[in-house]
Amino acid sequence: MVPGTRCEPLARNKLLSPVIFHDGRLVQRPTPLVALLTFLWLPIGIILSILRVYLNIPLPERLAWYTYKLLGIRVIVKGTPPPPPGNGQSGVLFVCNHRTVLDPVVTAVALGRKISCVTYSISKFTEIISPIKAVALSRERDKDAANIKRLLEEGDLVICPEGTTCREPFLLRFSALFAELTNRIVPVAINTKQSVFHGTTVRGHKLLDPYFVFMNPMPTYEVTFLNQLPKELTCKGGKSAIEVANYIQRVLGGTLGFECTNLTRRDKYAKLAGTDGRVLSKKENA
C-alpha cells in the first residue's frame, strides 16, 4: 500500500529489528535525481570496470598496487602484515571477514605478494579470471581440510570463514574448520565503501560481482592486519576450534565496530532466495 500523504523513510535506528540481509545492486534509494545520475554514469562505469578487472590480472601484486591508484581504486592498509614464509615453513592463514568477492585479491595487493584463497560457491568464470589462485570448497569436511592443508604448504592462504558476504555492519558466524589446521593465524579486518552499486548479489548473476564493485567511481577498501594469534589462543594451545573461531569473530567485530551474530550463510540464502547458496555444477544441474 502507498500512503496518500507524503512520508519520510524511517531511520534505521528506529526500525523494530536491524536490517542484516538485503539484495539488489543500487546503494542509494533511486530518487529521480539519483536514477538520472546513475544512468549517466553507467556507460563510464562499465568501461572503467572492464579496465580495472582485466588490466590487473597479468600484473604482479606490487605493480597492481600502483595501477589501483591510477584507476581510482583506494586501498588503505593498516597494521603490519607478517613476512612471506621461509623455505620449509608453512604459510600464514589470513582469516578475513567477507565484504565482497574481491576481498582475497585486495588482501594480496595489500600484502604485495601472491597468495591463494579458498571460497564457497565461486563461479567458474570468476575462478578463471582471478589474478590469484582460487580454490572452491566442496562442503565435504575431509576434502576441504586436505585442500587447505595443501595450500598452506605451498604458501600464504586467505579464508573468509563467514562463507558469504554481508553488506551491513554485522559479522556472520565463523566456520571453525580453519582453526583445526594451523596455529599460524592472522586476523584481517576488511571494510569497504561503495557509493553507487553493491558488488554482491544473492538472486542475480554472481559472475558480475567484481564488475559491479569496480563500476563505482572510487571503490575503497580498508584492510587492517592484526597481530598473529599467540599459541595459547590456538588449538595447539588447548583451545577448541569453536573457541578460536568465536574469538577471531569478536576481535574482527571490535576492530570494525561490527556486531557479531550467529547467523550463517544458509540463513542468508534461505531468507533472500530460498536456497542454500550453492553454485551448482553442470553435472549437478543435469
Side-chain angles (χ1 to χ4, degrees):
M1 294 180 63
V2 180
T5 56
R6 183 178 177 82
C7 299
E8 292 297 324
L10 197 64
R12 290 200 173 197
N13 59 0
K14 294 183 179 180
L15 296 174
L16 295 178
S17 59
V19 177
I20 300 176
F21 301 135
H22 58 91
D23 207 9
R25 291 293 191 180
L26 296 179
V27 171
Q28 302 180 52
R29 190 164 61 93
T31 62
L33 178 59
V34 170
L36 175 62
L37 292 175
T38 301
F39 276 114
L40 291 174
W41 171 256
L42 197 58
I44 301 171
I46 291 172
I47 295 170
L48 193 56
S49 72
I50 292 172
L51 285 174
R52 286 167 168 174
V53 170
Y54 289 100
L55 188 61
N56 291 302
I57 289 176
L59 296 179
E61 278 63 29
R62 288 185 181 277
L63 288 180
W65 170 269
Y66 297 104
T67 59
Y68 270 34
K69 285 187 175 182
L70 288 173
L71 294 171
I73 305 167
R74 294 187 65 204
V75 180
I76 302 167
V77 181
K78 298 180 179 180
T80 305
N87 292 331
Q89 189 179 30
S90 63
V92 170
L93 183 63
F94 294 98
V95 179
C96 310
N97 62 299
H98 206 3
R99 301 296 280 177
T100 73
V101 70
L102 295 172
D103 294 343
V105 175
V106 174
T107 302
V109 172
L111 286 168
R113 61 180 187 261
K114 282 288 182 189
I115 55 177
S116 303
C117 74
V118 289
T119 182
Y120 287 97
S121 299
I122 186 173
S123 70
K124 195 65 179 176
F125 181 72
T126 303
E127 187 177 344
I128 291 171
I129 68 169
S130 174
I132 64 174
K133 185 176 182 178
V135 177
L137 296 175
S138 65
R139 298 172 184 262
E140 297 177 18
R141 185 179 180 83
D142 293 340
K143 184 177 179 180
D144 289 341
N147 278 332
I148 293 172
K149 284 182 178 179
R150 175 178 55 82
L151 291 169
L152 283 170
E153 289 172 359
E154 296 174 1
D156 293 335
L157 179 66
V158 173
I159 189 170
C160 300
E162 289 174 284
T164 188
T165 56
C166 185
R167 297 174 176 179
E168 299 300 323
F170 296 90
L171 294 182
L172 307 186
R173 191 175 74 198
F174 279 27
S175 170
L177 175 62
F178 72 89
E180 303 173 6
L181 306 176
T182 182
N183 65 334
R184 301 191 67 204
I185 299 173
V186 173
V188 182
I190 297 177
N191 205 357
T192 61
K193 292 179 183 177
Q194 298 162 77
S195 56
V196 181
F197 300 106
H198 284 298
T200 60
T201 185
V202 170
R203 291 166 294 183
H205 298 289
K206 289 185 176 296
L207 63 86
L208 296 178
D209 284 357
Y211 300 96
F212 273 102
V213 173
F214 283 155
M215 279 171 64
N216 288 286
M218 187 174 286
T220 301
Y221 279 84
E222 186 175 295
V223 184
T224 305
F225 293 95
L226 305 180
N227 294 329
Q228 182 174 316
L229 259 62
K231 184 178 179 181
E232 58 268 21
L233 293 178
T234 67
C235 290
K236 288 190 176 181
K239 298 291 184 181
S240 70
I242 293 175
E243 287 176 321
V244 175
N246 289 344
Y247 172 76
I248 294 176
Q249 185 198 39
R250 291 194 301 270
V251 168
L252 292 179
T255 301
L256 294 165
F258 289 3
E259 183 178 334
C260 298
T261 74
N262 280 320
L263 296 170
T264 65
R265 172 189 178 83
R266 188 179 295 273
D267 294 324
K268 172 183 171 179
Y269 280 86
K271 291 178 184 295
L272 296 181
T275 69
D276 64 358
R278 287 185 298 171
V279 176
L280 299 178
S281 65
K282 291 181 179 179
K283 290 181 179 179
E284 290 173 310
N285 276 319

